[in-house]
Amino acid sequence: MKAFSITDIGKKRQLNQDHIYSSLEPVGNLPNIFLVADGMGGHKAGGYASSCAVETILEGVRESEGVRPEEILTEAIQRANEVIEKRAGEDERFSCMGTTVVAACWDGKELIAANVGDSRLYVVNGGIEQVTEDHSLVQEMVRIGGINKEEARSHPNKNIITRAVGLEQDLSVDCFRRPLKPGNIVLLCSDGLTDMLEDEEIYRILTGEGTIQQRAQALVQAANDNGGRDNIAVIVIDPFS
């Protein structure tokens, strides 16, 4: 198993509010763990929210006595939600801060993922599949048939999040399982990548030549070449290498 993670400030932002974590070794009762968090809020609040989420999730995973990865990840993300919400209530500088989270682990047979917000997890499996579902206003509009996927990409409200870590008392976390086979590639990323690149371009780069490090770096470069309007976070995983 190999993985490579990278964040980039992009071309328009003054701060990088994306945080990532990648471990091929066991963390608590998980065999490995991969995290992407994309913060939102004031000047420094978004960066604080995303870094706090990553740190608190890892702490929760290490301390968990759970066995099922879905249970471990869900409880750890909900713990981060409580910590961030409490901090926001104590200091007005952090008022209304929050963060997306997408988390995953690989047990040797299945990929287990959890998400809140619009950071995504994809699996390349002969095509490219978005495994997670965005918690966003435009995705809800797509779901009910108000707009199609192409219209969603350019919708003026596409960055309005309907669910985020730190903004809700009773946070719901979505979980997914996908069996993997040799040749599959896994991608976790923030919307700084997916707002800049179509899924087909992401697929082309992920299935192109080069190491996973080179492919991850190529994704970031392509997002910047297309405008780099936001911070970019990428984790590329080859489970069978």
Side-chain angles (χ1 to χ4, degrees):
M1 184 180 192
K2 292 181 180 178
F4 183 78
S5 55
I6 181 174
T7 64
D8 189 88
I9 196 170
K11 289 189 170 183
K12 303 295 184 182
R13 299 300 177 100
Q14 294 181 334
L15 297 172
N16 190 347
Q17 297 188 330
D18 287 0
H19 280 81
I20 57 178
Y21 183 85
S22 176
S23 175
L24 298 175
E25 301 300 321
V27 177
N29 287 338
L30 295 182
N32 43 67
I33 189 169
F34 307 94
L35 296 167
V36 168
D38 178 0
M40 61 198 77
H43 183 59
K44 293 185 178 179
Y48 177 87
S50 59
S51 64
C52 180
V54 169
E55 292 169 6
T56 307
I57 290 167
L58 291 172
E59 183 180 81
V61 169
R62 292 187 186 105
E63 296 178 1
S64 176
E65 297 180 358
V67 175
R68 296 183 67 249
E70 291 94 336
E71 174 189 357
I72 296 170
L73 291 173
T74 294
E75 290 180 353
I77 293 170
Q78 289 173 336
R79 179 173 177 170
N81 182 69
E82 294 171 2
V83 170
I84 294 169
E85 186 184 36
K86 182 175 184 292
R87 177 63 170 152
E90 294 171 343
D91 190 332
E92 64 179 16
R93 293 176 301 170
F94 299 115
S95 176
C96 298
M97 69 176 171
T99 182
T100 71
V101 168
V102 59
C105 70
W106 158 243
D107 68 4
K109 293 182 179 179
E110 291 186 302
L111 181 76
I112 301 96
N115 84 295
V116 176
D118 64 353
S119 292
R120 295 177 178 176
L121 183 145
Y122 289 89
V123 173
V124 170
N125 51 8
I128 184 165
E129 176 193 6
Q130 180 184 335
V131 175
T132 54
E133 297 179 4
D134 295 352
H135 301 135
S136 66
L137 178 62
V138 295
Q139 179 57 38
E140 184 64 19
M141 295 168 70
V142 170
R143 188 186 67 81
I144 64 176
I147 59 174
N148 60 37
K149 287 188 67 175
E150 285 303 310
E151 292 170 325
R153 286 192 61 82
S154 58
H155 197 280
N157 295 325
K158 68 179 180 179
N159 292 321
I160 296 179
I161 305 301
T162 56
R163 196 189 307 176
V165 178
L167 295 179
E168 304 176 43
Q169 286 191 337
D170 299 311
L171 181 68
S172 177
V173 179
D174 289 353
C175 292
F176 306 86
R177 277 183 176 259
R178 287 293 185 280
L180 298 181
K181 60 185 180 181
N184 290 164
I185 299 293
V186 178
L187 169 68
L188 288 78
C189 62
S190 63
D191 67 348
L193 181 76
T194 54
D195 281 352
M196 295 293 99
L197 300 179
E198 299 276 359
D199 287 1
E200 292 75 15
E201 177 68 2
I202 294 173
Y203 174 78
R204 185 190 66 78
I205 294 171
L206 286 175
T207 56
E209 296 183 355
T211 65
I212 60 169
Q213 175 177 343
Q214 291 168 328
R215 283 176 273 174
Q217 292 169 332
L219 286 170
V220 171
Q221 185 62 54
N224 278 325
D225 289 346
N226 281 0
R229 291 196 300 268
D230 200 354
N231 309 144
I232 306 157
V234 167
I235 301 177
V236 178
I237 308 163
D238 184 347
F240 292 92
S241 62

